[in-house]
Amino acid sequence: SLDIWDPFEGFSAVASVPPSARETTAFATARIDWKETPEAHIFKADLPGLKKEEVKVEVEDGNVLQISGERSKEHEEKNDKWHRVERSCGKFMRRFRLLENAKVDQVKAN
């Protein structure tokens, strides 16, 4: 199934979510584009600050592509004085049911 972005989804509920839960869920909606070319299905994910070793790409159940990972909270020094924190941390996972013509044995990530 294709995920359809709703810019207002969960907007009213965010105020009632505790800050610790917001840290985990804020990164859970990693934005991913999916296009099909004559040669391949291409997924492009916005995962700033993550190293490739921190992202896992796998095929489950024969035709479900799963992209997951985790961004750790930055280490804070005792004398640090933060003015603003907008980058979220936590786990994310996105799943996509691939089309019948996808060659799952040829999945690769870079």
Side-chain angles (χ1 to χ4, degrees):
S1 66
L2 296 176
D3 291 355
I4 299 176
W5 178 59
D6 178 359
F8 302 106
E9 179 181 17
F11 184 71
S12 61
V14 171
S16 64
V17 176
S20 60
R22 270 185 246 144
E23 284 181 357
T24 302
T25 59
F27 194 46
T29 57
R31 301 293 180 211
I32 299 175
D33 296 338
W34 175 9
K35 74 175 177 179
E36 181 178 357
T37 69
E39 297 81 31
H41 290 264
I42 300 171
F43 293 81
K44 289 187 178 185
D46 287 338
L47 305 171
L50 287 180
K51 298 175 187 161
K52 67 180 181 177
E53 299 83 27
E54 298 171 320
V55 178
K56 188 174 184 180
V57 177
E58 57 193 338
V59 177
E60 292 187 336
D61 301 327
N63 70 335
V64 177
L65 179 72
Q66 179 173 299
I67 303 170
S68 61
E70 181 174 6
R71 180 183 299 140
S72 302
K73 192 171 186 176
E74 241 179 81
H75 176 71
E76 293 185 28
E77 296 293 330
K78 188 175 184 177
N79 296 327
D80 285 349
K81 182 178 179 182
W82 290 88
H83 293 280
R84 189 172 190 90
V85 177
E86 292 185 348
R87 297 181 317 137
S88 57
C89 61
K91 295 180 181 182
F92 74 92
M93 180 181 66
R94 297 292 307 274
R95 298 178 64 159
F96 301 89
R97 185 169 310 283
L98 299 174
L99 303 177
E100 290 179 18
N101 66 346
K103 298 175 183 173
V104 295
D105 59 325
Q106 296 179 21
V107 168
K108 60 183 176 181
N110 59 25

